[in-house]
Amino acid sequence: MIAAKGYAAPKAKVPLEPFKFERREVGPHDVQIEIQYCGVCHSDIHQVRDEWGGSIFPMVPGHEIVGKITKVGDHVTKFKVGETAGIGCFVDSCRHCPSCLAGLEQYCDVGMIGTYNSLDKGGSPTYGGYSNQIIVDENYTLHISDKLPLAGVAPLLCAGITTYSPIMEWKMGKGHKVGVVGLGGLGHMAVKLAASKGAEVTVLSTSPSKKADAEKLGAHHFLVTKDAEQMKATAGTLDFIINTISAQHEYNDYLPLLKLDGTMVLVGVPPEAPQVAAFNLIMKRRRIAGSLIGGIKETQEMLDYCAEHGITSDVEVINIDYINEAYERMIKGDVRYRFVIDMASL
């Protein structure tokens, strides 16, 4: 076993603290990565506080990981020592179900194995990127371009692919009007990516103060959702809405903004099941859909696309010992737009 160190939640609803643990030895198909940066996702908070249930403690969070490969297994063919690599939200899957065979490992019929807060095929807990190193099968490892600043690339492994995947699945682009609900870690990436594809983007926010930022990110319009006149004027005009909000909110406020056959795609997960008025769907044949992350192939495609187009997340780099304060600020929406841990601070 390989000695490792990081920060962990010892149990639910207590601060994260330094933690020593062991990683498996590098197997024939594994790569070992010295972690340089790890993004901080809102789902980290949900899971360390056991808000979704089933959390495994002690828990080392983190699934937006970039770093340098320090060792490769004897049978590794896709990576070399010294290359920059990334790890996203999962590190394995069953590999033989229809979803896995289609390159949609995130929808594995058996269940993907999460980068943290999951059990590997041997029954041991997985530990994430708030740590100095990680060992992962090369088939679940991603190539990272050195063209872009690594701190800004790290959140692409979750926030980037979570918004890129529905944009590609629904072919959002030129000729489409796309609304983005919420301008946080996910929302700011949805704006950048949808705009880069040629869509006309409208940010829907309760905070008028975010208008300038929305425009800098590439939004063409900004709608204050508390303004009834603005909402009325926009009714029936949007082809798609990407809903990134994970706090409790009212879906019925947004559905009337969609055109005939318009679709609202959910990528945020509110804590309680929302109510939906059937007439908001029936009267314009509207749809509510959901999207998770992306498979390995699509995530690599997204990373290559962002490298080609110079797209990264807007980040605030922090030291690891600031993580508990960062969580509190995230809950208040006080970050623009993603915290990223400099793992050299460990």
Side-chain angles (χ1 to χ4, degrees):
M1 302 294 281
I2 297 172
K5 60 182 180 178
Y7 262 57
K11 58 183 179 179
K13 299 179 177 64
V14 300
L16 275 68
E17 59 186 35
F19 178 61
K20 293 182 179 180
F21 61 104
E22 292 183 329
R23 298 281 192 190
R24 70 172 185 263
E25 293 288 346
V26 177
H29 297 283
D30 289 337
V31 298
Q32 181 174 352
I33 300 170
E34 180 183 344
I35 300 173
Q36 292 172 286
Y37 295 97
C38 183
V40 181
C41 179
H42 205 103
S43 63
D44 297 348
I45 299 176
H46 289 306
Q47 294 186 83
V48 301
R49 298 186 177 184
D50 200 18
E51 293 173 352
W52 292 343
S55 289
I56 303 167
F57 297 99
M59 183 191 301
V60 179
H63 58 208
E64 299 179 340
I65 300 166
V66 292
K68 292 289 185 183
I69 295 176
T70 56
K71 188 176 181 179
V72 298
D74 293 341
H75 296 165
V76 169
T77 61
K78 300 177 181 178
F79 295 89
K80 296 178 181 178
V81 170
E83 284 188 298
T84 305
I87 305 297
C89 299
F90 59 93
V91 292
D92 208 344
S93 62
C94 84
R95 309 189 187 203
H96 54 72
C97 72
S99 294
C100 286
L101 293 175
L104 299 169
E105 300 94 341
Q106 74 273 31
Y107 300 121
C108 176
D109 293 348
V110 178
M112 65 177 180
I113 294 175
T115 303
Y116 72 90
N117 194 32
S118 193
L119 297 176
D120 65 22
K121 289 177 179 175
S124 298
T126 57
Y127 296 121
Y130 294 13
S131 57
N132 63 329
Q133 58 184 309
I134 191 167
I135 289 93
V136 179
D137 186 296
E138 67 169 332
N139 292 303
Y140 294 79
T141 305
L142 297 143
H143 292 277
I144 302 292
S145 169
D146 291 320
K147 293 180 181 178
L148 302 174
L150 283 185
V153 170
L156 300 180
L157 276 305
C158 178
I161 187 58
T162 297
T163 48
Y164 181 89
S165 190
I167 288 169
M168 298 305 291
E169 175 63 24
W170 277 272
K171 298 178 174 61
M172 302 178 199
K174 292 180 181 178
H176 292 141
K177 295 183 177 182
V178 177
V180 175
V181 183
L183 197 63
L186 290 175
H188 95 287
M189 287 308 308
V191 172
K192 288 188 178 189
L193 290 166
S196 78
K197 292 290 184 180
E200 184 179 327
V201 179
T202 299
V203 168
L204 313 172
S205 176
T206 59
S207 305
S209 61
K210 291 189 175 183
K211 182 177 180 181
D213 271 11
E215 292 172 348
K216 288 178 184 176
L217 293 166
H220 304 88
H221 311 287
F222 188 88
L223 191 161
V224 180
T225 55
K226 292 178 180 179
D227 187 321
E229 289 303 312
Q230 288 188 38
M231 292 290 278
K232 184 178 179 181
T234 311
T237 65
L238 300 178
D239 297 287
F240 300 100
I241 294 173
I242 302 173
N243 189 331
T244 72
I245 298 178
S246 58
Q248 204 65 29
H249 64 290
E250 183 60 70
Y251 287 178
N252 294 301
D253 290 347
Y254 303 102
L255 288 169
L257 304 180
L258 291 168
K259 294 178 180 178
L260 174 69
D261 288 330
T263 301
M264 180 163 74
V265 185
L266 309 178
V267 294
V269 184
E272 298 176 16
Q275 297 292 313
V276 176
F279 275 118
N280 278 335
L281 302 177
I282 291 170
M283 296 307 290
K284 288 288 185 180
R285 204 163 59 192
R286 300 181 178 110
R287 304 172 182 89
I288 295 179
S291 182
L292 191 56
I293 43 176
I296 295 298
K297 180 180 178 181
E298 187 176 52
T299 304
Q300 188 64 63
E301 175 189 298
M302 177 273 305
L303 289 167
D304 295 344
Y305 177 86
C306 288
E308 181 183 349
H309 292 84
I311 298 172
T312 57
S313 293
D314 289 14
V315 302
E316 179 178 335
V317 179
I318 61 170
N319 289 340
I320 187 68
D321 60 6
Y322 187 72
I323 189 62
N324 294 301
E325 291 87 347
Y327 277 11
E328 294 306 318
R329 285 180 55 192
M330 282 177 67
I331 291 168
K332 297 174 183 175
D334 180 25
V335 55
R336 294 188 176 173
Y337 281 93
R338 201 68 148 184
F339 286 118
V340 172
I341 306 166
D342 180 351
M343 295 313 303
S345 65
L346 185 60

